[in-house]
Amino acid sequence: MLELLKKNIHMNRWKGNATSQVTLDDDFIVPDTMDDVDQIILSAGEITIESVKNQTERVTVRGKLDFTILYRGAEGGLQTLSGSISFEEPINVPGLEEQDVVSLTWDLEDLNAGIINSRKISVKAIVTLQVKVETAYDVDAAVEVDTGSGYSDCPQVEVLRRNVDVAATALRHKDTFRIKENITLSGNKPNIDHILWSEMRLRGVSTRPMDGKMMLDGELMVFLIYQGEGEGAPIQWLEESIPFSGELDMADVTDDMVPSVNVHLIHKDMEAKPDADGEMREMDLDAVLELDMKLYREENMELLSDLYSTNRELTLQTGEACFDKILTKNMSKCKIVEKVALDNSDRILQICHSDGTVKIDDTEVKEDGLHVEGVLEVRLLFLTSDDSQPIQSAVEDVPFHYLIEAPGINSDTINQLNFGLEQLSAVMMGGGTVEIKATISLDLLALQPICEQIITSATDAPMDLNNLQKLPGIVGYIVQPGDSLWKIAKKFHTTIDTIMTANGLTEKAVKPGDRLILVKELS
């Protein structure tokens, strides 16, 4: 009884993707408790995805834009207006099935806050939603043959094997990591009356798998504008870099796995509180990071390529199986140095804050790797000599291009690119220019689909003795182009070992023109 022993490989196959843009536009009335709006200084927004509903050939995304606007009131003071705009967007994804795995990424392309009148503000934004679809894909590939050797008439089977490198999906998991910190004001800073503006951003985040855990480290950049305590107290700002590191327990993770991890800041909260003396000089920070993790395990599989028997007739059924192979895992650093000229730069006294957002416009596969085109959107906050407008902001777009080396990449390659801002600085130079220096991290995991012929089943039957008798017992043979010892042995009903012994060969390699003596195997 002939039986094939098979190994199951679990993978997620990329099935397709779809992109949709949502335009948000709404007007907001300034509450009666707040001053009239004279000038908008800063505006910022965060997208929160509330649900992603997978339906047949459609994904419905529900979420909201939370925005914050810092404006100068008619009385000259600074005030903060917050609000949100909800959205629900159906995205058509041809071929999508309910059991498929859907990944959603989003980008706030543009946020524009404008003054309609002193009591009404318009908020407009464009949100890009990108859906990627994977489907579970299991391959059963024959790796060994059981001939039932305990029986007298069991097949005498010759086996040809080949090695295939496969990237199996070892784990898909989402988890969160919380950062709780306390910041104390330095002695030269006045007490906090109330917070006007706060920001938290991630910098230089890296992850790495270890046995039983996922390691995480990076920096949380904190920026704060607050009203000082006391009548006539000036507006103050504070900028801190808070390093963090930690681990997530994941029992099934091993340090040899290859990760693709996307990290988002999904919750951030900053609250002023009194210190031990009862003075408002401390702040509690609470931030939550979400890690969307996919880990692959590289496996070297020895597949059965071919079978034949010297005492039985074998009938093989074959099929094609497609696997993913890790082509490259490349962590690159794109360095940017750019000088930009600011309007009314003669009035700028000091840059007090800068932050940046990385936006990828296009990726293109070429012979030498993956070409990435994008923009670093830099926002600058600065003090001016204009008493009526002492705090101003500007946004500058700095384009960049980078080649991520990926030998062997082609149009079929599945590219998983995670990117982020690692470093950023902005320094005033002479002539009214600002020098911007930045480092962008580009983490590429490239998977190459490969398709292989596999043996799906095999049956055996008694040998046709008439056909066997027709084969000569011994024959001289001249090796032809494309021949191998396996092909020759199978055709002439013998074995590779028999050929090597009869011809005194020490290696299995033969070349066209070689002369061999072939002896029929009688099992």
Side-chain angles (χ1 to χ4, degrees), residues 336-349:
I336 296 174
V337 179
E338 187 80 14
K339 291 182 179 179
V340 297
L342 298 181
D343 294 336
N344 301 318
S345 58
D346 57 319
R347 295 185 302 168
I348 297 176
L349 298 176

Side-chain angles (χ1 to χ4, degrees), residues 100-115:
D100 290 340
V101 179
V102 173
S103 299
L104 177 72
T105 56
W106 59 92
D107 188 18
L108 182 58
E109 293 284 348
D110 189 26
L111 175 65
N112 185 19
I115 301 173

Side-chain angles (χ1 to χ4, degrees), residues 130-425:
Q130 185 172 41
V131 172
K132 291 186 177 180
V133 179
E134 297 173 87
T135 186
Y137 180 76
D138 287 272
V139 175
D140 289 321
V143 295
E144 192 54 83
V145 59
D146 183 359
T147 61
S149 55
Y151 298 94
S152 59
D153 62 343
C154 65
Q156 303 298 315
V157 176
E158 297 296 312
V159 178
L160 180 65
R161 296 179 172 86
R162 72 184 185 280
N163 290 318
V164 177
D165 291 325
V166 174
T169 305
L171 184 67
R172 286 207 65 156
H173 184 63
K174 280 189 177 182
D175 209 336
T176 56
F177 181 82
R178 178 165 245 130
I179 303 170
K180 294 181 75 69
E181 287 286 341
N182 179 267
I183 295 178
T184 301
L185 296 181
S186 59
N188 61 343
K189 293 283 187 182
N191 294 350
I192 301 169
D193 184 81
H194 61 278
I195 295 174
L196 293 166
W197 184 267
S198 63
E199 292 179 7
M200 293 187 203
R201 291 181 180 265
L202 295 175
R203 292 271 179 90
V205 178
S206 64
T207 58
R208 67 185 186 281
M210 294 185 68
D211 290 343
K213 63 188 70 174
M214 177 67 74
M215 307 302 294
L216 170 73
D217 58 63
E219 288 181 304
L220 184 65
M221 308 300 294
V222 178
F223 177 68
L224 178 75
I225 301 176
Y226 71 92
Q227 175 65 59
E229 193 176 66
E231 187 175 349
I235 300 296
Q236 298 288 321
W237 75 89
L238 175 70
E239 193 163 25
E240 292 277 347
S241 172
I242 300 175
F244 63 86
S245 62
E247 59 188 49
L248 299 173
D249 290 331
M250 298 174 65
D252 297 330
V253 172
T254 57
D255 59 6
D256 60 344
M257 290 181 180
V258 180
S260 177
V261 182
N262 209 342
V263 183
H264 291 290
L265 189 57
I266 61 170
H267 170 78
K268 47 191 176 182
D269 184 57
M270 190 182 305
E271 183 179 358
K273 70 171 188 177
D275 61 12
D277 298 325
E279 298 183 326
M280 300 295 285
R281 301 192 59 79
E282 294 187 359
M283 283 162 292
D284 274 338
L285 272 65
D286 185 17
V288 178
L289 281 57
E290 181 184 71
L291 288 79
D292 188 356
M293 295 170 282
K294 190 187 306 181
L295 293 105
Y296 297 88
R297 177 181 285 111
E298 288 187 283
E299 299 181 8
N300 182 267
M301 291 186 56
E302 194 175 58
L303 302 180
L304 297 186
S305 284
D306 198 7
L307 306 172
Y308 72 91
S309 174
T310 56
N311 68 339
R312 303 281 286 178
E313 292 284 355
L314 299 188
T315 302
L316 305 181
Q317 285 74 47
T318 61
E320 187 178 68
C322 293
F323 309 94
D324 288 335
K325 177 181 179 180
I326 295 178
L327 185 65
T328 187
K329 170 73 170 173
N330 193 334
M331 173 64 85
S332 302
K333 310 286 186 186
C334 173
K335 296 186 182 298
I336 296 174
V337 179
E338 187 80 14
K339 291 182 179 179
V340 297
L342 298 181
D343 294 336
N344 301 318
S345 58
D346 57 319
R347 295 185 302 168
I348 297 176
L349 298 176
Q350 180 185 357
I351 294 176
C352 55
H353 176 61
S354 62
D355 65 63
T357 303
V358 180
K359 298 184 177 182
I360 302 298
D361 294 329
D362 186 42
T363 59
E364 184 179 2
V365 172
K366 294 187 178 180
E367 289 183 1
D368 49 356
L370 186 68
H371 289 246
V372 180
E373 299 274 356
V375 169
L376 175 62
E377 185 181 271
V378 180
R379 185 174 58 178
L380 304 170
L381 189 67
F382 47 85
L383 302 180
T384 76
S385 57
D386 187 344
D387 292 339
S388 65
Q389 300 177 351
I391 298 179
Q392 292 293 302
S393 66
V395 176
E396 299 290 338
D397 287 339
V398 181
F400 67 88
H401 173 270
Y402 193 80
L403 166 64
I404 304 176
E405 295 182 359
I409 196 171
N410 58 37
S411 58
D412 295 327
T413 305
I414 301 164
N415 298 306
Q416 301 181 53
L417 181 63
N418 292 321
F419 53 89
L421 184 61
E422 193 163 288
Q423 294 179 345
L424 174 67
S425 67

